[in-house]
Amino acid sequence: MRALLTLIAVQLFAGAGTASGYAVGGMLAEKITGHTAMAGFAQMSVILGAGLIAYPLAALAGRRGRRFALGLGFGIGAAGTLVVLLGAALSSMPVFMLGMMMCGSSTASGLQARYAAVDSAPPGAAARAMSFVVWATTVGSVLGPNFTAPGAALGSALGLAPLAGPYLISLVAFALASLIAASLPGDGGHGGASAEERVGLVAALRSVRGRPLVLLAIVTIVAGQMMMTNVMVMTPVHMEHQGFELAAVGIVVSVHIAGMYGLSPVFGWMADRFGPLSVIGAGAGVFALTIVLGVVDALRPASSMGLLSTALLLLGLGWSMFLIGGSALLTREALPAARVSLQGFSDAAMNLGGALMAAFAGTVLGLGGFLGINIMATAVLIAMALTALFALPAARRARAETR
């Protein structure tokens, strides 16, 4: 219980730090460069950084424990906010992007925290333990975007670009998350297998062959992140182009993040009670509805605050279902010796996939508007559905053969 409460405290601050800068990253990149297409590269840098460090952090957790890996990960994120501020002060996109990549370490650490909760969870309650850690991000993440305006005022008072101000809040939040993570009891968990039993990445990936549900779990986690990133990164930029005030952007982002984390305990309970596949299936339906609403808004003469808020709320719910359902399925179906490596790989893949979407999102928004953004999300959802169609019959056959 102490470990779970510590992880919850970590996520409160980590969520606030991430969300504080998340709402303005794209606009700050656009201001530095003067090009809308570069807006997506801000969040792409965060997600790319998270993808690049996710597996090394998981490997480090396997050797030194979750406590050491999480503390280091959030510490790197705190240092990244200083580099972001330097890039904004110099109007240097390369420096800015480097800082954003370092901030991605906090994202990777926050994701790894859910598996740390699973390590110490009692049998039959793994998904619920995971979901409480995910849920803990809600308070900080919902409040974070609302620090945008005060952060901008603080930045101006200190002689910084107004949009750079929220990263001062991120700096404090990530530093506190790092300190709290370093207080995890014991070693924070190693992922359910001893050092002698654990296998490396190549062997872990080989173990996926013949285990279609493991493949489905990884694809689900990756697809959810790609769809969420694609739509979320460009929504603030889209709203700015439609003439919405910065406060309205903060509200929509807050609603979205509430959807990402607010009902996660419900989805964790569903995964433990009815199985992870039920959560994944429901999430696919929610994502489909999200895309429909996004298309409707894109085809209107002017964007609707109500439509965008509803669509972004559902986008967050779909992401939460895919993350918890996919993570629970991966934890259940992966071989114990391969579990930590596959957890790190899936987190790396989800963030690299999201970075790829973010990299193209600005260009797609410029060429095809918000409609193009939703078409990109549709393509990802179709790919995930095809994977499910392949995996489920194969899984049934494999289980029938083992009976």
Side-chain angles (χ1 to χ4, degrees), residues 36-41 233-234 357-367 373:
T36 299
M38 296 301 293
F41 281 84
V233 165
M234 285 297 103
M357 296 294 279
F360 288 104
T363 300
V364 171
L365 182 68
L367 295 176
I373 295 296

Side-chain angles (χ1 to χ4, degrees), residues 5 48 72 127 163 205 207 214 225 232 256 288 311-312 330 337 352 370-371 380:
L5 292 176
L48 178 61
L72 177 62
L163 290 176
L205 291 175
S207 74
V214 176
Q225 181 75 3
M232 183 58 249
H256 165 67
L312 268 293
L330 177 61
L352 292 175
F370 203 51
L371 178 62
V380 175

Side-chain angles (χ1 to χ4, degrees), residues 115-314:
Y115 290 125
V118 172
D119 293 344
S120 58
R128 273 171 286 182
M130 178 191 307
S131 67
F132 279 120
V133 172
V134 174
W135 173 85
T137 316
T138 306
V139 176
S141 294
V142 171
L143 291 176
N146 293 292
F147 291 137
T148 298
L154 176 62
S156 297
L158 296 176
L160 300 172
L163 290 176
Y167 286 94
L168 294 170
I169 298 170
S170 299
L171 168 62
V172 175
F174 290 156
L176 289 172
S178 178
L179 291 173
I180 296 171
S183 70
L184 271 172
D187 58 18
H190 284 81
S194 68
E196 293 77 14
E197 295 172 334
R198 285 189 298 274
V199 299
L201 180 58
V202 174
L205 291 175
R206 286 174 180 163
S207 74
V208 176
R209 289 184 297 183
R211 305 183 74 85
L213 288 179
V214 176
L215 176 63
L216 175 60
I218 294 172
V219 171
T220 297
I221 294 169
V222 174
Q225 181 75 3
M226 291 178 72
M227 287 185 286
M228 187 275 291
T229 301
N230 176 55
V231 177
M232 183 58 249
V233 165
M234 285 297 103
T235 296
V237 181
H238 168 66
M239 291 182 68
E240 184 184 37
H241 292 173
Q242 291 287 313
F244 287 96
E245 297 291 335
L246 192 59
V249 175
I251 290 171
V252 171
V253 173
S254 294
V255 168
H256 165 67
I257 297 176
M260 289 175 66
Y261 304 112
L263 293 182
S264 54
V266 175
F267 304 143
W269 173 81
M270 288 175 59
D272 285 333
R273 178 67 177 83
F274 304 108
L277 291 175
S278 66
V279 180
I280 294 172
V286 171
F287 268 123
L289 181 56
T290 298
I291 293 170
V292 169
L293 293 179
V295 169
V296 170
D297 184 81
L299 295 177
R300 287 170 54 92
S303 287
S304 162
M305 180 73 173
L307 267 179
L308 285 175
S309 298
T310 303
L312 268 293
L313 172 64
L314 292 174

Side-chain angles (χ1 to χ4, degrees), residues 6 18 64 80 153 336 353 384 388 395:
T6 302
T18 299
R64 300 284 300 274
M384 180 269 167

